[in-house]
Amino acid sequence: MANTEYAKGLEGVIAAESKICRIDGENGKLFYLGYSIEDLARNTSFEETTYLLLYGELPTPTELESFRARMRAGRDLSPAVLHMIKEFPPQSHPMELLQSVISYLSGYVEHKIQHSAYCNCRDTLHQISQIASVVAALHRFRQGLEYVPPRSDLSHGANFLYMLHGEEPDPEDGRIMDACLVLHAEHSFNASTFTARVVASTLSTCYSSVSAAIGALYGSLHGGANERVLAMVDEIGTKDNVEPWLEKALAEKRKIMGMGHRVYRAKDPRAIIIEEYLQELGKRKGNTQYYEILKELERAFRERMEEKGKPIYPNVDYFSGAVYALLGIPARLFTPVFAMGRAPGWLAHILEQRSDNRIYRPKALYVGELGKDFVPSSERKSG
Ligand SMILES: CC(C)(COP(=O)(O)OP(=O)(O)OC[C@H]1O[C@@H](n2cnc3c(N)ncnc32)[C@H](O)[C@@H]1OP(=O)(O)O)[C@@H](O)C(=O)NCCC(=O)NCCS
């Protein structure tokens, strides 16, 4: 038995070997399968990055074409799933629906495919495709609108915007949406990915692993910071109000949403890329308010924290909520959009876990009592 030290939240504990993702927190670098996030976001589609994550290498043009066709064939929702979305309790969160839909989908898949431990994540690409369609359909039903069937001539990101809004997006909007999904596709052993691996390590199906991962992402300490960034920007209101707002927020010991990261000690490389998208989108849509407020807040916050000797930088969530808002995505869908992007990462980790599996079984540091006298129930007194 190697390390038996207690690390709350498993901080610093190495739980498995992995070739999928490397985060260099000191220098603000991120790689999927050895490729820099900058190269992937600028030069690949979400489908191409999904292929990379699931097969470990970039596809040839022919491989990409057939993979893309398979992913796109999985986009349309069956009447049963559409019925389920319509009937889901209207007050429920979209993440609760997503988690349930993934479990439900598994009921339609042949037992032997679900349980063939070596290949099923590559055979169940419809999981990735359908998450986007479910999010779009839910939004439309809750707006009292009709389901928009998918198109197979659009990228994953552009098709999502099409199914959400019912009209073909501006090609640049589609490209930015797709690139945002690439940026969210993988991030090593975060809570949802680790959850997916733990479930996969029991040799459960990839559906139950993905469904569990969605449950983990739903929690406010994991997904959801970008939604809170947008609420913060609305609260600030104008660029001129940044300084007084920050003064008050810091005096009240509030956390500045979208700032700081457990691993990065430099600006999150994904934030650098999303910031460019926000600037570009803002100019094109004639709304530069989000960008101006966020840049001013970044400058002012950094100045304050440097004075205290604690430089804190923006993370991926700092600019992404504003980008989604400019793409017409409501804040309640931000965490589901995160799930749309992260699904290939979860599947890649499930495959890797199975390729050299050992069930996860850490120990607890027992701090309870021992040797208590057993009292029969009839003799137990209340109070
Ligand atoms: C992400 C986060 C949980 C990391 O927490 P962490 O690992 O404890 O952060 P650090 O160890 O780097 O914190 C160093 C110091 O900076 C402070 N700090 C970190 N992030 C801060 C923020 N966003 N606003 C204000 N102060 C912050 C910490 O409170 C800590 O102060 P202390 O030394 O007085 O206790 C934290 O930065 C945070 O809550 N950020 C806002 C929420 C968010 O954007 N989450 C999405 C993450 S992808």
Side-chain angles (χ1 to χ4, degrees), residues 222 225 228 250 254-262 265 301 305 310 312 315-317:
H222 191 357
R228 297 203 298 273
L250 291 179
R254 279 172 71 178
K255 280 272 170 76
I256 310 305
M257 286 298 127
M259 287 286 176
H261 198 277
R262 176 57 59 82
R265 291 290 166 254
F301 181 61
M305 296 310 273
K310 287 193 252 181
I312 305 270
N315 61 53
V316 66
D317 291 320

Side-chain angles (χ1 to χ4, degrees), residues 18-279:
S18 181
K19 290 183 177 163
I20 300 171
C21 181
R22 161 90 172 110
I23 305 172
D24 175 355
E26 287 303 319
N27 299 303
K29 301 275 177 221
L30 171 63
F31 303 87
Y32 300 169
L33 278 305
Y35 295 99
S36 80
I37 192 64
E38 291 80 9
D39 275 344
L40 293 173
R42 297 202 165 107
N43 303 310
T44 71
S45 64
F46 178 68
E47 287 155 330
E48 198 172 351
T49 290
T50 298
Y51 185 102
L52 172 69
L53 288 166
L54 295 186
Y55 290 89
E57 52 194 41
L58 286 168
T60 63
T62 324
E63 286 166 341
L64 180 59
E65 197 182 325
S66 81
F67 182 77
R68 206 187 264 152
R70 277 175 53 215
M71 259 188 83
R72 293 181 186 193
R75 283 179 181 171
D76 203 7
L77 299 175
S78 68
V81 171
L82 287 171
H83 179 74
M84 180 180 177
I85 299 171
K86 275 191 181 142
E87 293 301 311
F88 215 70
Q91 72 285 1
S92 62
H93 194 280
M95 290 297 278
E96 290 164 340
L97 171 71
L98 269 191
Q99 194 173 11
S100 312
V101 167
I102 293 296
S103 302
Y104 187 69
L105 283 179
S106 72
Y108 285 89
V109 177
E110 273 182 73
H111 185 83
K112 76 172 177 357
I113 293 182
Q114 279 202 55
H115 288 271
S116 68
Y118 55 93
C119 74
N120 63 12
C121 298
R122 296 186 186 118
D123 288 348
T124 61
L125 288 175
H126 63 281
Q127 286 193 92
I128 304 175
S129 306
Q130 300 229 329
I131 290 176
S133 306
V134 169
V135 175
L138 177 72
H139 173 69
R140 292 195 64 85
F141 291 157
R142 288 195 174 169
Q143 299 293 305
L145 300 167
E146 291 293 310
Y147 170 62
V148 175
R151 278 183 33 186
S152 57
D153 59 332
L154 297 174
S155 71
H156 195 72
N159 179 62
F160 168 67
L161 293 178
Y162 169 69
M163 291 180 75
L164 193 71
H165 300 311
E167 55 188 48
E168 185 172 338
D170 178 297
E172 280 305 295
D173 287 4
R175 184 188 60 79
I176 288 177
M177 184 69 237
D178 209 60
C180 285
L181 297 177
V182 170
L183 293 175
H184 282 88
E186 168 52 18
H187 213 231
S188 191
F189 274 39
N190 54 82
S192 60
T193 302
F194 187 55
T195 301
R197 288 189 76 126
V198 170
V199 178
S201 82
T202 70
L203 298 187
S204 184
T205 70
C206 62
Y207 291 89
S208 51
S209 303
V210 169
S211 159
I214 292 173
L217 184 64
Y218 180 23
S220 60
L221 291 185
H222 191 357
N226 52 9
E227 196 175 332
R228 297 203 298 273
V229 172
L230 207 64
M232 179 181 80
V233 171
D234 286 340
E235 195 185 313
I236 296 171
T238 61
K239 189 178 162 193
D240 292 343
N241 193 33
V242 165
E243 285 280 2
W245 181 90
L246 181 63
E247 189 81 46
K248 188 162 174 282
L250 291 179
E252 289 168 357
K253 304 225 171 308
R254 279 172 71 178
K255 280 272 170 76
I256 310 305
M257 286 298 127
M259 287 286 176
H261 198 277
R262 176 57 59 82
V263 184
Y264 289 114
R265 291 290 166 254
K267 192 162 171 176
D268 182 332
R270 300 166 300 172
I272 295 171
I273 301 169
I274 297 193
E275 175 183 335
E276 287 170 19
Y277 300 152
L278 178 60
Q279 189 176 23

